[in-house]
Amino acid sequence: CVSTPFLPNELLTHPANAILLQFPITARSQLKNRYHFMRAGRSELESDGIYSTNPLFLTNRDNAVSNDGYKDLKRVVDILKRNPQSSPTVAYHSLAANGMDTGDYIANELRLGRDRMLPEFTYLDQRGIGLWDSYEESSVRPAVWAMDSLEAGKEGFGARPPANEDGTPNETLHDQFIRLRQFISLQESRTSGETILVIFPDGTGPALLSCMIAGIPFSDVHVLEYQAGEIRLDITPASVRELYEARKMDPEYLAVIEDGTEK
């Protein structure tokens, strides 16, 4: 007898109907569900200025949502309460400590049943940055952004961070793309007509999935980077492209790329 994880009846997957989404999303292949993307509240590690991506460490309470992070989450809840038509019917969060804390807070504030706030075990993991892991965020993040801008290419096959010896993955954006494609394909296979809130542990994951949906080159992913505790409602190809066009020449973004190129 093989046990299977519990899912509500309407979330059960029918293998015969399983799909693997093709990107970008076009008018002939619209998403069947409505999606909100958000980044988890600021963690203690982020408050300390540490850029950490090792999956083994991210479940530690050092990566829990900080007091400032909960202030950001309160603003997210206020946004959702002001837009009751956008209230999620189901939500997924990563197993990183800040993702779990964010999921618990959202579920409690919105009175979302625990069978509707579901953990996602690997597909939402953030990109591992190898040797650069656990260094100061103020130095590493601009360098990663610049590396991606210069080397990642349209589909993210380039720009692999240097390897480490402590088990931290050193991944390209394409590696993260594969996980995210599996995640969103699974949701589209399982359900139709849901409003799904996806809680990412980092800011690049939701930005990359947005690029996938809208057909934006992965080298420009950080134009769409999410801030800690930020939510964007009703993700569609049109909404992503509109934001991208407004931000791609933003002086602040370009300054980060210039600074990161030197770093």
Side-chain angles (χ1 to χ4, degrees):
C1 178
V2 179
S3 62
T4 57
F6 169 77
L7 283 173
N9 289 337
E10 61 268 33
L11 295 184
L12 291 176
T13 304
H14 299 283
N17 297 327
I19 59 174
L20 185 64
L21 283 181
Q22 300 300 310
F23 296 97
I25 300 299
T26 67
R28 288 179 294 177
S29 60
Q30 290 296 319
L31 297 173
K32 295 186 295 183
N33 297 291
R34 184 184 188 191
Y35 290 92
H36 306 327
F37 295 166
M38 74 169 292
R39 178 178 172 178
R42 182 175 300 278
S43 70
E44 297 287 357
L45 285 173
E46 290 170 325
S47 294
D48 290 339
I50 298 173
Y51 195 159
S52 180
T53 64
N54 189 318
L56 296 178
F57 300 149
L58 296 183
T59 57
N60 293 347
R61 296 312 295 170
D62 287 344
N63 194 45
V65 173
S66 65
N67 290 334
D68 287 340
Y70 279 110
K71 295 177 183 178
D72 295 333
L73 296 183
K74 184 179 184 305
R75 288 193 286 270
V76 169
V77 169
D78 290 341
I79 290 171
L80 291 172
K81 286 183 175 179
R82 288 197 304 269
N83 297 274
Q85 72 279 6
S86 297
S87 185
T89 57
V90 64
Y92 289 88
H93 63 81
S94 78
L95 288 186
N98 61 340
M100 292 189 289
D101 288 349
T102 299
D104 285 341
Y105 183 85
I106 296 291
N108 290 334
E109 292 296 319
L110 296 182
R111 301 184 184 277
L112 193 62
R114 299 310 305 182
D115 62 333
R116 287 282 168 171
M117 180 61 70
L118 303 172
E120 190 1 84
F121 295 94
T122 58
Y123 292 149
L124 298 182
D125 284 357
Q126 69 185 90
R127 172 196 187 182
I129 58 171
L131 188 65
W132 295 342
D133 187 71
S134 296
Y135 281 81
E136 290 187 3
E137 184 172 14
S138 59
S139 294
V140 173
R141 188 173 298 280
V144 171
W145 286 27
M147 177 186 67
D148 290 338
S149 177
L150 295 169
E151 301 176 8
K154 183 178 180 180
E155 297 181 356
F157 285 102
R160 185 180 299 277
N164 206 338
E165 297 179 353
D166 67 352
T168 304
N170 60 318
E171 299 179 302
T172 64
L173 289 169
H174 192 80
D175 293 327
Q176 192 173 17
F177 156 80
I178 293 172
R179 290 196 295 272
L180 293 174
R181 180 177 61 179
Q182 292 294 105
F183 171 76
I184 199 75
S185 296
L186 185 58
Q187 309 322 315
E188 291 293 292
S189 298
R190 282 173 167 169
T191 61
S192 177
E194 299 280 0
T195 298
I196 301 177
L197 172 64
V198 188
I199 302 170
F200 295 81
D202 68 318
T204 301
L208 181 57
L209 186 48
S210 298
C211 287
M212 292 160 57
I213 289 171
I216 293 170
F218 292 179
S219 56
D220 287 345
V221 64
H222 302 294
V223 173
L224 299 173
E225 191 86 4
Y226 280 59
Q227 301 300 311
E230 181 182 358
I231 188 170
R232 296 177 198 166
L233 303 179
D234 300 326
I235 301 297
T236 65
S239 70
V240 172
R241 284 193 290 268
E242 181 180 3
L243 182 61
Y244 171 72
E245 291 297 330
R247 288 189 173 185
K248 65 181 181 180
M249 298 305 294
D250 178 68
E252 186 174 342
Y253 165 73
L254 296 176
V256 172
I257 299 301
E258 182 179 0
D259 178 50
T261 300
E262 180 178 350
K263 285 184 168 63

